[in-house]
Amino acid sequence: MLHIAYLMALLPLAGFAVLVVFGKRLGDPLAGWVGTVAVFGAFVVACIALGGLWNEPASARHFTENYFSWIAVGGLQVKVGLFLDPLSMTMCLFVTGVSALIHLYSIGYMKDDSEYSKFFIYLNLFVFSMVLLVLSDNLLVTFVGWEGVGLCSYFLIAFWHERDSAASAGKKAFVYNRIGDAGFLIAVFLIFSKLGTLDLPTIFAHRHALGGDATTAVALLLLLAATGKSAQIPLFNWLPDAMEGPTPVSALIHAATMVTAGVYLLCRMNSVLALTPDARWVVAVIGGVTAFVAATIASSQQDIKKVLAFSTVSQIGYMTLAVGTGAYIAAIFLMVAHAFYKALLFLGAGSIIHGLHDEQDLKRMGGLARVLPWTYGTFLAAWLAIAGIPPLAGFWAKGDVLSNVFRKSPVLWALGVVTAILTAYYMTRLFVLAFRGDQRWAHAVSGHAPEPPHECPWVMRVPLVVLAVASFAGGILDLPFVHTAGLSSWLGPVFSNSLFVDHEGAGLQSGLAVIDGVAAVIGLSVAWWAWRREWDRPALEPAFLQRVWYWDDFYDAIIGRPGQVLAKVAATTVDGRVIDGAVNGVATLVRKSASGVRRLQTGYVRNYALGIVLGLAAVVAFLLSRVWWS
């Protein structure tokens, strides 16, 4: 069964190829169904491969297979192969499963779009790139998948490129990710220079040969790569702007593919990170601070998708915090749970936007529970899950992270608890402003009453229902009191340095769980009290949070505007005067020299004869002077 694992990548690639050739002819909705079936087929293959891997003994749950040689230059031998273990298997399951649901949802959401088939071309290529990233047994091939998801994100964020805002958002995402990609590439170069290989199993076996300084450098460079791809400080600014793309794109990027890639990379390289405690502390601090900062920003955004975008930045911060404290299994547990409820939140937001005829402002919503019952019911599950209300998935997954962080750093744990309160607050604010209170969408604008909202079609409802069930019951994957089963035992052999809370007393575990639950209730209660009757509270939405702590303004001040000045100087002074001046100066010198020499060409024989005579006289005079002086 394991030998068919390559189909997890090949099927989305085949869907991409079919749609490139026949997509226009297939049209709406057949092109969407082709793309959806291709990704759903990859999920079926993942389930079959899971069965094959599960039947192996815990110590033998890894499978490698080489397909062909890609690069063979001197000591660099790169083969395209597959590396399947519990970590890559877990990633493939939720990537293909959630992506299939998002594809199905998109069939209804993108209906009648003029570029319908192109959208599914990009989606299939996106999923292929992510699966390639996860399954590769070589860092260079991993980088190909890494770049693939970055390229597809650019295509999809700027999908409606006729809008200036969408085109700019796509470019912003592309540039920010290239900064992180430089870190990845330098880490690859450094690993190869020290170990002479890029094969993951060989790197893990000889990781001690890297040396202390090189190991720390590799870990920090991989962190830089992760901050770009997974939108962490200081490279998180691109992700909120990525909301310019169609809403299913937001769900795909935030829940199943791109932003999880950075956390996956750090988890995959856990054996290297384990050798450098200092770098791990940097990872933990970056994650903790990002989680807190993004949560504060989310509490003041008015665009429903931007609230969810900053929520993703915050949740990925939790995962990065877990990685930094060595809690790799907790990071993956939260990643899977987050995939369920964040996909549901974005698809639910898409249903709201679809029903309100492209309205995204929370202040122009309200009272939608009565007119969008399916969206309301499923969104309710996602809201409670991400808020951390027991027994939904978010409570167990986030609690697992915080329990592990508590053992390493009470300060970071306290920061995580405050962030949990803020998470419950901003998600309750979103829920109340969208679904409760007055129907503000019914107010006339410019004398014209808007059309009433409408519920989404069944092809969009099915993914909502499936994800709602997963958001409610997903915690069963790794309940804290059954670490002998679930993800902990499944991923245990991959993460020999992971932290568990089993050895802590039951009283401490219960106490930490109570604190997590209380934090969620506090955040929820405060937001419900503050927003259930009022929809406009400027005092609770300060400008510095609406403007993202002035982060973009800061970058604009220290990079953007100085860059513009430098470009202007380069264009006018350096290029116009120095470079063009030098080129034009040479041309002028040649022209004037030629004009002067041209006067010697008179066309008169007597002038040429006189020149010959004078030349001979000069030669004779020179020779006589030599004889005289000798």
Side-chain angles (χ1 to χ4, degrees), residues 446-500:
S446 302
H448 299 286
E451 297 181 37
H454 59 274
E455 187 61 276
C456 59
W458 73 266
V459 76
M460 296 170 66
R461 289 182 207 169
V462 170
L464 296 179
V465 173
V466 173
L467 289 168
V469 173
S471 298
F472 183 86
I476 200 172
L477 290 172
D478 201 40
L479 294 174
F481 46 81
V482 287
H483 272 322
T484 54
L487 280 177
S488 291
S489 62
W490 172 247
L491 295 174
V494 180
F495 301 116
S496 58
N497 296 289
S498 297
L499 297 178
F500 298 92

Tab-separated table of all heavy atoms in Angstrom, residues 446-500:
chain	number	residue	atom	x	y	z
A	446	SER	N	-27.493	55.225	0.121
A	446	SER	CA	-27.720	56.123	-1.022
A	446	SER	C	-29.139	55.995	-1.565
A	446	SER	O	-29.382	56.044	-2.778
A	446	SER	CB	-26.704	55.827	-2.144
A	446	SER	OG	-25.387	55.971	-1.668
A	447	GLY	N	-30.085	55.759	-0.646
A	447	GLY	CA	-31.481	55.706	-1.049
A	447	GLY	C	-31.928	54.391	-1.634
A	447	GLY	O	-33.084	54.243	-2.014
A	448	HIS	N	-31.013	53.414	-1.726
A	448	HIS	CA	-31.357	52.117	-2.317
A	448	HIS	C	-31.281	51.033	-1.249
A	448	HIS	O	-30.254	50.851	-0.592
A	448	HIS	CB	-30.406	51.782	-3.459
A	448	HIS	CG	-30.433	52.769	-4.582
A	448	HIS	ND1	-31.468	52.838	-5.488
A	448	HIS	CD2	-29.551	53.746	-4.932
A	448	HIS	CE1	-31.229	53.804	-6.362
A	448	HIS	NE2	-30.067	54.380	-6.045
A	449	ALA	N	-32.372	50.297	-1.066
A	449	ALA	CA	-32.385	49.195	-0.110
A	449	ALA	C	-31.607	48.017	-0.690
A	449	ALA	O	-31.813	47.646	-1.853
A	449	ALA	CB	-33.815	48.773	0.203
A	450	PRO	N	-30.690	47.426	0.073
A	450	PRO	CA	-29.901	46.297	-0.447
A	450	PRO	C	-30.758	45.048	-0.598
A	450	PRO	O	-31.816	44.909	0.001
A	450	PRO	CB	-28.829	46.105	0.633
A	450	PRO	CG	-29.468	46.613	1.896
A	450	PRO	CD	-30.354	47.753	1.470
A	451	GLU	N	-30.264	44.131	-1.428
A	451	GLU	CA	-30.952	42.844	-1.564
A	451	GLU	C	-30.790	42.046	-0.282
A	451	GLU	O	-29.753	42.107	0.373
A	451	GLU	CB	-30.360	42.061	-2.745
A	451	GLU	CG	-30.548	42.721	-4.091
A	451	GLU	CD	-29.950	41.870	-5.200
A	451	GLU	OE1	-30.035	40.630	-5.115
A	451	GLU	OE2	-29.384	42.459	-6.145
A	452	PRO	N	-31.800	41.263	0.107
A	452	PRO	CA	-31.684	40.471	1.338
A	452	PRO	C	-30.635	39.371	1.177
A	452	PRO	O	-30.416	38.868	0.068
A	452	PRO	CB	-33.088	39.878	1.501
A	452	PRO	CG	-33.668	39.889	0.128
A	452	PRO	CD	-33.091	41.093	-0.560
A	453	PRO	N	-29.965	38.979	2.276
A	453	PRO	CA	-28.960	37.912	2.200
A	453	PRO	C	-29.606	36.589	1.812
A	453	PRO	O	-30.797	36.360	2.029
A	453	PRO	CB	-28.403	37.848	3.625
A	453	PRO	CG	-28.795	39.128	4.265
A	453	PRO	CD	-30.071	39.542	3.628
A	454	HIS	N	-28.790	35.700	1.240
A	454	HIS	CA	-29.265	34.377	0.873
A	454	HIS	C	-28.267	33.336	1.345
A	454	HIS	O	-27.066	33.570	1.363
A	454	HIS	CB	-29.482	34.277	-0.643
A	454	HIS	CG	-28.239	34.556	-1.443
A	454	HIS	ND1	-27.866	35.833	-1.812
A	454	HIS	CD2	-27.279	33.733	-1.945
A	454	HIS	CE1	-26.741	35.789	-2.497
A	454	HIS	NE2	-26.361	34.533	-2.590
A	455	GLU	N	-28.780	32.179	1.731
A	455	GLU	CA	-27.939	31.086	2.196
A	455	GLU	C	-27.172	30.465	1.029
A	455	GLU	O	-27.609	30.541	-0.128
A	455	GLU	CB	-28.801	30.025	2.903
A	455	GLU	CG	-28.034	28.903	3.573
A	455	GLU	CD	-27.100	29.388	4.672
A	455	GLU	OE1	-25.963	29.789	4.321
A	455	GLU	OE2	-27.482	29.376	5.852
A	456	CYS	N	-26.047	29.892	1.333
A	456	CYS	CA	-25.207	29.312	0.287
A	456	CYS	C	-25.807	28.005	-0.234
A	456	CYS	O	-26.581	27.346	0.464
A	456	CYS	CB	-23.799	29.060	0.823
A	456	CYS	SG	-23.725	27.949	2.248
A	457	PRO	N	-25.460	27.589	-1.462
A	457	PRO	CA	-25.986	26.336	-2.019
A	457	PRO	C	-25.375	25.123	-1.319
A	457	PRO	O	-24.393	25.234	-0.577
A	457	PRO	CB	-25.564	26.414	-3.489
A	457	PRO	CG	-24.367	27.309	-3.495
A	457	PRO	CD	-24.619	28.323	-2.415
A	458	TRP	N	-25.927	23.934	-1.605
A	458	TRP	CA	-25.516	22.726	-0.901
A	458	TRP	C	-24.041	22.412	-1.103
A	458	TRP	O	-23.390	21.874	-0.199
A	458	TRP	CB	-26.369	21.538	-1.369
A	458	TRP	CG	-26.028	21.054	-2.756
A	458	TRP	CD1	-26.616	21.425	-3.928
A	458	TRP	CD2	-25.010	20.106	-3.097
A	458	TRP	NE1	-26.024	20.784	-4.989
A	458	TRP	CE2	-25.043	19.949	-4.515
A	458	TRP	CE3	-24.082	19.380	-2.358
A	458	TRP	CZ2	-24.177	19.106	-5.195
A	458	TRP	CZ3	-23.216	18.526	-3.043
A	458	TRP	CH2	-23.260	18.391	-4.437
A	459	VAL	N	-23.500	22.724	-2.293
A	459	VAL	CA	-22.107	22.402	-2.562
A	459	VAL	C	-21.171	23.195	-1.654
A	459	VAL	O	-20.021	22.800	-1.422
A	459	VAL	CB	-21.789	22.657	-4.059
A	459	VAL	CG1	-21.638	24.144	-4.346
A	459	VAL	CG2	-20.554	21.897	-4.492
A	460	MET	N	-21.649	24.300	-1.100
A	460	MET	CA	-20.880	25.062	-0.120
A	460	MET	C	-21.230	24.654	1.304
A	460	MET	O	-20.414	24.797	2.215
A	460	MET	CB	-21.130	26.565	-0.320
A	460	MET	CG	-20.642	27.100	-1.659
A	460	MET	SD	-21.199	28.792	-2.013
A	460	MET	CE	-20.350	29.730	-0.751
A	461	ARG	N	-22.427	24.137	1.515
A	461	ARG	CA	-22.834	23.745	2.872
A	461	ARG	C	-22.142	22.470	3.338
A	461	ARG	O	-21.790	22.334	4.509
A	461	ARG	CB	-24.344	23.525	2.918
A	461	ARG	CG	-25.179	24.774	2.809
A	461	ARG	CD	-26.657	24.427	2.928
A	461	ARG	NE	-27.497	25.399	2.232
A	461	ARG	CZ	-28.779	25.229	2.005
A	461	ARG	NH1	-29.372	24.118	2.395
A	461	ARG	NH2	-29.476	26.157	1.383
A	462	VAL	N	-21.971	21.511	2.432
A	462	VAL	CA	-21.383	20.224	2.825
A	462	VAL	C	-20.021	20.405	3.487
A	462	VAL	O	-19.770	19.853	4.576
A	462	VAL	CB	-21.298	19.268	1.615
A	462	VAL	CG1	-20.477	18.026	1.958
A	462	VAL	CG2	-22.697	18.857	1.175
A	463	PRO	N	-19.085	21.160	2.901
A	463	PRO	CA	-17.809	21.375	3.594
A	463	PRO	C	-17.982	22.045	4.959
A	463	PRO	O	-17.242	21.729	5.902
A	463	PRO	CB	-17.026	22.274	2.636
A	463	PRO	CG	-17.625	22.012	1.297
A	463	PRO	CD	-19.076	21.770	1.553
A	464	LEU	N	-18.942	22.962	5.067
A	464	LEU	CA	-19.169	23.623	6.352
A	464	LEU	C	-19.574	22.610	7.426
A	464	LEU	O	-19.064	22.646	8.553
A	464	LEU	CB	-20.256	24.696	6.212
A	464	LEU	CG	-19.961	25.893	5.291
A	464	LEU	CD1	-21.152	26.844	5.265
A	464	LEU	CD2	-18.702	26.628	5.724
A	465	VAL	N	-20.468	21.709	7.079
A	465	VAL	CA	-20.942	20.721	8.050
A	465	VAL	C	-19.820	19.761	8.444
A	465	VAL	O	-19.619	19.459	9.626
A	465	VAL	CB	-22.146	19.949	7.483
A	465	VAL	CG1	-22.546	18.809	8.404
A	465	VAL	CG2	-23.331	20.897	7.267
A	466	VAL	N	-19.076	19.266	7.456
A	466	VAL	CA	-17.977	18.326	7.750
A	466	VAL	C	-16.941	18.983	8.653
A	466	VAL	O	-16.473	18.381	9.636
A	466	VAL	CB	-17.329	17.847	6.438
A	466	VAL	CG1	-16.087	17.006	6.731
A	466	VAL	CG2	-18.322	17.044	5.616
A	467	LEU	N	-16.576	20.209	8.346
A	467	LEU	CA	-15.572	20.907	9.149
A	467	LEU	C	-16.106	21.259	10.537
A	467	LEU	O	-15.339	21.299	11.509
A	467	LEU	CB	-15.110	22.168	8.424
A	467	LEU	CG	-14.247	21.914	7.177
A	467	LEU	CD1	-14.082	23.193	6.369
A	467	LEU	CD2	-12.879	21.357	7.568
A	468	ALA	N	-17.401	21.504	10.646
A	468	ALA	CA	-17.985	21.770	11.963
A	468	ALA	C	-17.867	20.541	12.860
A	468	ALA	O	-17.528	20.641	14.050
A	468	ALA	CB	-19.445	22.189	11.812
A	469	VAL	N	-18.137	19.371	12.305
A	469	VAL	CA	-17.992	18.129	13.073
A	469	VAL	C	-16.538	17.936	13.489
A	469	VAL	O	-16.244	17.586	14.639
A	469	VAL	CB	-18.484	16.928	12.247
A	469	VAL	CG1	-18.188	15.615	12.966
A	469	VAL	CG2	-19.983	17.047	11.968
A	470	ALA	N	-15.603	18.175	12.560
A	470	ALA	CA	-14.181	18.028	12.880
A	470	ALA	C	-13.734	19.040	13.929
A	470	ALA	O	-12.922	18.725	14.812
A	470	ALA	CB	-13.345	18.182	11.614
A	471	SER	N	-14.263	20.258	13.868
A	471	SER	CA	-13.902	21.284	14.858
A	471	SER	C	-14.404	20.916	16.249
A	471	SER	O	-13.758	21.230	17.255
A	471	SER	CB	-14.486	22.639	14.444
A	471	SER	OG	-13.965	23.064	13.211
A	472	PHE	N	-15.546	20.253	16.290
A	472	PHE	CA	-16.097	19.849	17.583
A	472	PHE	C	-15.347	18.651	18.156
A	472	PHE	O	-14.968	18.642	19.332
A	472	PHE	CB	-17.583	19.495	17.429
A	472	PHE	CG	-18.244	19.126	18.731
A	472	PHE	CD1	-18.764	20.109	19.561
A	472	PHE	CD2	-18.325	17.801	19.144
A	472	PHE	CE1	-19.356	19.779	20.772
A	472	PHE	CE2	-18.916	17.459	20.347
A	472	PHE	CZ	-19.435	18.451	21.172
A	473	ALA	N	-15.106	17.641	17.327
A	473	ALA	CA	-14.572	16.369	17.829
A	473	ALA	C	-13.079	16.189	17.582
A	473	ALA	O	-12.511	15.164	17.980
A	473	ALA	CB	-15.331	15.209	17.188
A	474	GLY	N	-12.416	17.157	16.947
A	474	GLY	CA	-11.013	16.992	16.590
A	474	GLY	C	-10.086	16.797	17.763
A	474	GLY	O	-8.998	16.227	17.624
A	475	GLY	N	-10.484	17.246	18.950
A	475	GLY	CA	-9.629	17.089	20.128
A	475	GLY	C	-9.362	15.653	20.488
A	475	GLY	O	-8.381	15.345	21.183
A	476	ILE	N	-10.200	14.750	20.007
A	476	ILE	CA	-10.025	13.331	20.337
A	476	ILE	C	-8.725	12.774	19.753
A	476	ILE	O	-8.256	11.706	20.158
A	476	ILE	CB	-11.236	12.530	19.821
A	476	ILE	CG1	-11.355	11.187	20.543
A	476	ILE	CG2	-11.142	12.309	18.318
A	476	ILE	CD1	-12.628	10.439	20.229
A	477	LEU	N	-8.120	13.512	18.814
A	477	LEU	CA	-6.866	13.055	18.213
A	477	LEU	C	-5.744	12.936	19.232
A	477	LEU	O	-4.844	12.116	19.070
A	477	LEU	CB	-6.439	14.021	17.097
A	477	LEU	CG	-7.293	14.028	15.830
A	477	LEU	CD1	-6.864	15.155	14.904
A	477	LEU	CD2	-7.189	12.688	15.121
A	478	ASP	N	-5.777	13.746	20.290
A	478	ASP	CA	-4.686	13.695	21.264
A	478	ASP	C	-5.134	14.266	22.603
A	478	ASP	O	-4.592	15.258	23.090
A	478	ASP	CB	-3.466	14.469	20.759
A	478	ASP	CG	-2.182	14.031	21.450
A	478	ASP	OD1	-2.016	12.822	21.673
A	478	ASP	OD2	-1.349	14.900	21.763
A	479	LEU	N	-6.108	13.639	23.220
A	479	LEU	CA	-6.557	14.078	24.537
A	479	LEU	C	-5.426	13.922	25.546
A	479	LEU	O	-4.657	12.956	25.497
A	479	LEU	CB	-7.776	13.261	24.976
A	479	LEU	CG	-9.047	13.470	24.133
A	479	LEU	CD1	-10.130	12.504	24.568
A	479	LEU	CD2	-9.531	14.905	24.249
A	480	PRO	N	-5.263	14.866	26.471
A	480	PRO	CA	-4.092	14.867	27.360
A	480	PRO	C	-3.991	13.658	28.275
A	480	PRO	O	-2.900	13.290	28.687
A	480	PRO	CB	-4.283	16.160	28.171
A	480	PRO	CG	-5.733	16.475	28.071
A	480	PRO	CD	-6.160	16.007	26.728
A	481	PHE	N	-5.115	13.031	28.610
A	481	PHE	CA	-5.046	11.901	29.540
A	481	PHE	C	-4.942	10.560	28.819
A	481	PHE	O	-5.001	9.513	29.450
A	481	PHE	CB	-6.268	11.901	30.471
A	481	PHE	CG	-7.574	12.117	29.760
A	481	PHE	CD1	-8.220	11.072	29.114
A	481	PHE	CD2	-8.139	13.384	29.715
A	481	PHE	CE1	-9.410	11.279	28.456
A	481	PHE	CE2	-9.342	13.592	29.051
A	481	PHE	CZ	-9.985	12.536	28.418
A	482	VAL	N	-4.773	10.596	27.481
A	482	VAL	CA	-4.581	9.340	26.747
A	482	VAL	C	-3.380	9.475	25.810
A	482	VAL	O	-3.446	9.144	24.642
A	482	VAL	CB	-5.844	8.942	25.943
A	482	VAL	CG1	-6.932	8.455	26.841
A	482	VAL	CG2	-6.338	10.104	25.083
A	483	HIS	N	-2.259	9.985	26.333
A	483	HIS	CA	-1.064	10.164	25.514
A	483	HIS	C	-0.484	8.839	25.038
A	483	HIS	O	0.448	8.819	24.244
A	483	HIS	CB	0.006	10.947	26.279
A	483	HIS	CG	-0.133	12.429	26.126
A	483	HIS	ND1	-0.515	13.041	24.947
A	483	HIS	CD2	0.073	13.439	27.005
A	483	HIS	CE1	-0.538	14.350	25.107
A	483	HIS	NE2	-0.191	14.617	26.350
A	484	THR	N	-0.975	7.740	25.573
A	484	THR	CA	-0.505	6.448	25.086
A	484	THR	C	-1.137	6.099	23.748
A	484	THR	O	-0.772	5.109	23.125
A	484	THR	CB	-0.840	5.339	26.104
A	484	THR	OG1	-2.244	5.386	26.394
A	484	THR	CG2	-0.047	5.555	27.392
A	485	ALA	N	-2.101	6.884	23.314
A	485	ALA	CA	-2.742	6.694	22.016
A	485	ALA	C	-2.761	8.032	21.300
A	485	ALA	O	-2.245	9.026	21.787
A	485	ALA	CB	-4.155	6.146	22.200
A	486	GLY	N	-3.350	8.052	20.137
A	486	GLY	CA	-3.492	9.303	19.411
A	486	GLY	C	-2.178	9.802	18.835
A	486	GLY	O	-1.231	9.049	18.592
A	487	LEU	N	-2.123	11.134	18.617
A	487	LEU	CA	-0.965	11.727	17.969
A	487	LEU	C	0.324	11.524	18.753
A	487	LEU	O	1.400	11.399	18.155
A	487	LEU	CB	-1.208	13.229	17.764
A	487	LEU	CG	-2.072	13.648	16.570
A	487	LEU	CD1	-2.259	15.146	16.569
A	487	LEU	CD2	-1.441	13.198	15.260
A	488	SER	N	0.247	11.510	20.058
A	488	SER	CA	1.468	11.391	20.860
A	488	SER	C	2.203	10.087	20.587
A	488	SER	O	3.412	10.067	20.395
A	488	SER	CB	1.130	11.504	22.353
A	488	SER	OG	0.716	12.815	22.659
A	489	SER	N	1.477	8.975	20.579
A	489	SER	CA	2.131	7.702	20.291
A	489	SER	C	2.468	7.577	18.805
A	489	SER	O	3.480	6.985	18.437
A	489	SER	CB	1.238	6.536	20.721
A	489	SER	OG	0.018	6.549	19.994
A	490	TRP	N	1.620	8.152	17.950
A	490	TRP	CA	1.847	8.085	16.515
A	490	TRP	C	3.092	8.864	16.102
A	490	TRP	O	3.926	8.385	15.324
A	490	TRP	CB	0.605	8.613	15.804
A	490	TRP	CG	0.706	8.805	14.322
A	490	TRP	CD1	0.680	9.993	13.659
A	490	TRP	CD2	0.800	7.798	13.310
A	490	TRP	NE1	0.762	9.805	12.311
A	490	TRP	CE2	0.840	8.451	12.066
A	490	TRP	CE3	0.866	6.406	13.340
A	490	TRP	CZ2	0.937	7.778	10.856
A	490	TRP	CZ3	0.963	5.720	12.135
A	490	TRP	CH2	1.000	6.397	10.917
A	491	LEU	N	3.243	10.090	16.636
A	491	LEU	CA	4.375	10.942	16.269
A	491	LEU	C	5.579	10.773	17.180
A	491	LEU	O	6.642	11.333	16.899
A	491	LEU	CB	3.938	12.415	16.270
A	491	LEU	CG	2.887	12.826	15.238
A	491	LEU	CD1	2.456	14.272	15.470
A	491	LEU	CD2	3.433	12.670	13.820
A	492	GLY	N	5.418	10.039	18.257
A	492	GLY	CA	6.500	9.889	19.220
A	492	GLY	C	7.836	9.505	18.621
A	492	GLY	O	8.870	10.134	18.924
A	493	PRO	N	7.923	8.481	17.757
A	493	PRO	CA	9.223	8.100	17.192
A	493	PRO	C	9.878	9.196	16.359
A	493	PRO	O	11.096	9.217	16.208
A	493	PRO	CB	8.865	6.882	16.315
A	493	PRO	CG	7.616	6.342	16.894
A	493	PRO	CD	6.852	7.537	17.377
A	494	VAL	N	9.085	10.101	15.791
A	494	VAL	CA	9.647	11.180	14.976
A	494	VAL	C	10.275	12.248	15.860
A	494	VAL	O	11.327	12.814	15.532
A	494	VAL	CB	8.549	11.813	14.094
A	494	VAL	CG1	9.130	12.948	13.240
A	494	VAL	CG2	7.903	10.763	13.214
A	495	PHE	N	9.650	12.494	17.015
A	495	PHE	CA	10.085	13.582	17.893
A	495	PHE	C	10.623	13.011	19.206
A	495	PHE	O	9.946	13.039	20.237
A	495	PHE	CB	8.923	14.537	18.188
A	495	PHE	CG	8.327	15.151	16.956
A	495	PHE	CD1	7.014	14.893	16.590
A	495	PHE	CD2	9.070	15.992	16.143
A	495	PHE	CE1	6.454	15.467	15.468
A	495	PHE	CE2	8.523	16.571	15.013
A	495	PHE	CZ	7.218	16.310	14.672
A	496	SER	N	11.823	12.544	19.167
A	496	SER	CA	12.391	11.952	20.387
A	496	SER	C	12.627	13.002	21.465
A	496	SER	O	12.771	12.666	22.642
A	496	SER	CB	13.702	11.249	20.055
A	496	SER	OG	14.626	12.151	19.460
A	497	ASN	N	12.676	14.290	21.072
A	497	ASN	CA	12.927	15.358	22.054
A	497	ASN	C	11.656	16.111	22.431
A	497	ASN	O	11.721	17.184	23.018
A	497	ASN	CB	13.947	16.352	21.483
A	497	ASN	CG	15.289	15.710	21.244
A	497	ASN	OD1	16.002	15.387	22.174
A	497	ASN	ND2	15.639	15.489	19.978
A	498	SER	N	10.490	15.588	22.061
A	498	SER	CA	9.241	16.277	22.383
A	498	SER	C	8.979	16.263	23.875
A	498	SER	O	9.429	15.373	24.594
A	498	SER	CB	8.070	15.606	21.658
A	498	SER	OG	8.234	15.699	20.268
A	499	LEU	N	8.215	17.248	24.313
A	499	LEU	CA	7.844	17.330	25.721
A	499	LEU	C	6.446	16.757	25.906
A	499	LEU	O	5.562	16.962	25.085
A	499	LEU	CB	7.845	18.786	26.187
A	499	LEU	CG	9.192	19.502	26.136
A	499	LEU	CD1	9.009	20.941	26.583
A	499	LEU	CD2	10.202	18.814	27.030
A	500	PHE	N	6.250	16.039	26.975
A	500	PHE	CA	4.931	15.531	27.333
A	500	PHE	C	4.592	16.014	28.740
A	500	PHE	O	5.478	16.383	29.508
A	500	PHE	CB	4.878	13.998	27.294
A	500	PHE	CG	5.155	13.427	25.936
A	500	PHE	CD1	6.443	13.083	25.570
A	500	PHE	CD2	4.139	13.237	25.031
A	500	PHE	CE1	6.719	12.566	24.311
A	500	PHE	CE2	4.396	12.715	23.779
A	500	PHE	CZ	5.693	12.374	23.420
